[in-house]
Amino acid sequence: MLAVVVVSGHARASLRVFVTKHLHPYKYDYRREWLRVVRTMDADSGQRSLADRAVAALGQLVDADLGGLWLLQDGQFVPVGGEMAGSLARAQPADPQFVAALCRSEWIIDLHDARAGDGGTESLVVPAWLLEQKRARLVVPLLQETRLIGLLTLGGTLAEHALGWEDIDLLRAAGRQLSSYVALESAARKLSEAQQFEAYNR
């Protein structure tokens, strides 16, 4: 085991994470951070769009002041809000292999590393349209169970920070929570449209 740890860089990295997780105090008060995400998503829901609240909720975790929400619809990532996915942004094709890799790994993509040639996993090839977003630093997948429903890009001031395992774990957990809000709003919108069609037919 000692020889493997000495020779293998991956084994050394895994050992450092294990020691940090179990022998060092946590960086975050997870209860407080979780409540902060929920409060941000619930606050001003009548005035601010879902995308703006989602960007603010995740951005505050890593000191990001920019972001954008992209929803996966009919084989495309459709921009729905946030400064990086505003009215001037265009829908982008969703590569099935990229979507499948995110569903398997739930990987938080660091675009700085991806642009430098280190995408994180061999099976995950970051699409060119994401790499071309120069202001974006992170891509957080939004998954509901095992289904990818969208992406949230983050950038801005966090470019100065190096993310550790706690940041990644917290972003993953918060992304799961945001997926529930996105799915709920989508279901409510479809129900409203169905009721309008029913009223029109009557």
Side-chain angles (χ1 to χ4, degrees):
M1 287 180 63
L2 181 61
V4 169
V5 169
V6 170
V7 174
S8 171
H10 178 72
R12 288 198 303 273
S14 299
L15 180 61
R16 281 197 300 271
V17 171
F18 177 85
V19 170
T20 303
K21 281 188 174 182
H22 293 87
L23 299 180
H24 287 260
Y26 289 126
K27 175 180 177 181
Y28 293 103
D29 180 340
Y30 288 94
R31 175 183 169 277
R32 186 177 64 182
E33 297 298 337
W34 194 261
L35 290 175
R36 190 157 64 130
V37 168
V38 172
R39 281 196 299 268
T40 302
M41 290 303 297
D42 289 340
D44 302 326
S45 58
Q47 288 76 35
R48 291 201 299 172
S49 69
L50 173 71
D52 289 338
R53 286 179 283 133
V55 168
L58 254 65
Q60 68 191 1
L61 299 178
V62 288
D63 298 325
D65 56 3
L66 296 174
L69 179 62
W70 306 75
L71 296 186
L72 183 57
Q73 299 173 353
D74 301 323
Q76 291 185 312
F77 287 110
V78 179
V80 295
E83 194 167 339
M84 293 182 182
S87 58
L88 298 180
R90 295 180 298 173
Q92 302 290 342
D95 180 5
Q97 292 184 337
F98 175 67
V99 171
L102 282 181
C103 290
R104 286 194 306 271
S105 65
E106 202 170 352
W107 193 261
I108 305 294
I109 302 170
D110 189 325
L111 291 175
H112 283 190
D113 293 342
R115 293 182 189 111
D118 180 12
T121 64
E122 294 180 1
S123 61
L124 197 152
V125 178
V126 181
W129 67 271
L130 281 172
L131 297 176
E132 291 167 0
Q133 293 200 31
K134 299 304 182 183
R135 295 186 300 169
R137 162 75 186 277
L138 296 178
V139 179
V140 180
L142 304 180
L143 287 104
Q144 189 177 39
E145 296 182 351
T146 59
R147 182 173 65 94
L148 183 71
I149 63 173
L151 302 172
L152 198 141
T153 56
L154 293 173
T157 55
L158 68 78
E160 305 300 325
H161 298 276
L163 300 181
W165 66 268
E166 278 194 86
D167 304 296
I168 300 299
D169 283 355
L170 186 58
L171 286 171
R172 280 181 179 153
R176 287 277 182 178
Q177 179 73 4
L178 294 189
S179 300
S180 300
Y181 282 92
V182 172
L184 182 61
E185 181 165 289
S186 177
R189 185 177 64 252
K190 290 178 181 178
L191 178 60
S192 176
E193 290 172 355
Q195 289 173 339
Q196 290 175 8
F197 277 119
E198 182 182 357
Y200 175 77
N201 288 332
R202 285 204 304 269

